[in-house]
Amino acid sequence: MQKLGILLIALFITTFSQAQDAKTLLKEVSAKAKSYDNISIDFKYNLNNSKENVNQETRGDVTLQGDKYVLNMLGTTRIFDGKNIYTIVPEDEEVTISAYNPKDDKEITPSKMLTFYEKGYTYKMDIEQNVKGRKIQYIKLIPIDSKAEIKDILLGIDVQTKHIYKLIQTDDKGTKYTLTVNSFKTNQPVSKTLFTFDETKYKKDGYYINKL
């Protein structure tokens, strides 16, 4: 009984220590991300569900400045100017405009990509990998909300730069979403109109404007 007690105490200390280490690293990542004027990321995105025999892979890029972003992926451009989301689909010559409501935003959107873990998760240190000489430390995040669709998230962090290298999200249906950062650039020259949607331009080009 005494040995069991000692083992439980040791396990508690180890778990607490790992949680503190994970918390410290995440704070450093968040502080680093918020220190930049803007961030441009080129990434690879994979969606996999072995049970459904689904495996899709694509590439994309996103530019972030505060909460604002421009995301290019799957032939679609999405602009968020801080108030509205503009989804531009050139193939259909259509633009959908929707007002942003934080209460409805439960996904890891581009504007939350580098800070989403600050609330709503427990976390602990996971595996460590060497990727082409870079030390990548993974942290496992589990939603506090037991009804969340997300089962867990593995966040791979470059220990030297404190930049996110990989995000692996698994949902309760077994679908795995993996985002791998190919390039992470900061404080790039950004046009003042990058996050501004010019409705007149798209109307002139014959686009259908759908306002929700």
Side-chain angles (χ1 to χ4, degrees):
M1 184 67 70
Q2 187 177 0
K3 287 183 178 179
L4 178 60
I6 292 172
L7 285 172
L8 287 173
I9 291 171
L11 178 62
F12 172 79
I13 292 172
T14 301
T15 303
F16 178 77
S17 177
Q18 286 187 346
Q20 287 300 106
D21 289 345
K23 185 177 182 179
T24 299
L25 183 55
L26 288 175
K27 277 189 173 182
E28 291 174 342
V29 172
S30 180
K32 194 74 177 287
K34 291 174 181 177
S35 71
Y36 300 123
D37 291 332
N38 60 69
I39 298 171
S40 296
I41 298 172
D42 181 87
F43 61 86
K44 179 173 68 176
Y45 181 80
N46 178 267
L47 184 154
N48 182 275
N49 187 315
S50 55
K51 291 181 180 178
E52 301 293 334
N53 197 29
V54 175
N55 187 43
Q56 301 173 349
E57 190 164 290
T58 187
R59 300 178 79 92
D61 62 80
V62 62
T63 299
L64 308 161
Q65 188 173 66
D67 290 334
K68 300 176 183 179
Y69 66 80
V70 176
L71 170 68
N72 296 296
M73 186 175 167
L74 295 171
T76 298
T77 296
R78 177 175 286 188
I79 301 172
F80 178 50
D81 61 6
K83 294 182 179 179
N84 296 310
I85 299 172
Y86 307 87
T87 303
I88 305 164
V89 187
E91 186 177 352
D92 300 331
E93 294 189 336
E94 182 177 359
V95 177
T96 300
I97 304 174
S98 57
Y100 174 69
N101 186 346
K103 294 181 180 178
D104 296 334
D105 189 1
K106 296 180 181 179
E107 298 180 354
I108 301 175
T109 57
S111 56
K112 296 193 301 182
M113 178 183 166
L114 303 175
T115 56
F116 73 92
Y117 45 80
E118 292 179 336
K119 294 180 180 179
Y121 295 89
T122 61
Y123 31 75
K124 63 179 180 179
M125 292 297 221
D126 206 271
I127 64 170
E128 181 185 301
Q129 287 184 338
N130 186 300
V131 180
K132 297 180 180 179
R134 298 164 63 192
K135 180 180 175 182
I136 307 297
Q137 174 65 59
Y138 283 85
I139 294 176
K140 189 170 187 177
L141 300 103
I142 298 175
I144 294 172
D145 182 1
S146 59
K147 296 180 181 179
E149 294 181 1
I150 297 174
K151 181 183 175 184
D152 60 57
I153 296 171
L154 276 173
L155 198 61
I157 298 167
D158 185 317
V159 175
Q160 182 176 358
T161 63
K162 300 299 187 295
H163 293 165
I164 292 176
Y165 165 70
K166 184 173 287 191
L167 184 153
I168 306 170
Q169 175 183 312
T170 305
D171 67 19
D172 55 2
K173 295 180 181 177
T175 304
K176 186 176 290 186
Y177 308 86
T178 303
L179 187 149
T180 306
V181 174
N182 294 322
S183 70
F184 191 108
K185 298 178 181 179
T186 61
N187 299 337
Q188 300 294 297
V190 173
S191 167
K192 292 181 179 179
T193 60
L194 180 64
F195 306 101
T196 303
F197 175 73
D198 187 349
E199 186 172 334
T200 305
K201 170 191 170 185
Y202 286 94
K203 280 185 174 179
K204 190 181 296 184
D205 290 341
Y207 276 65
Y208 171 69
I209 308 296
N210 178 28
K211 296 184 179 180
L212 301 180

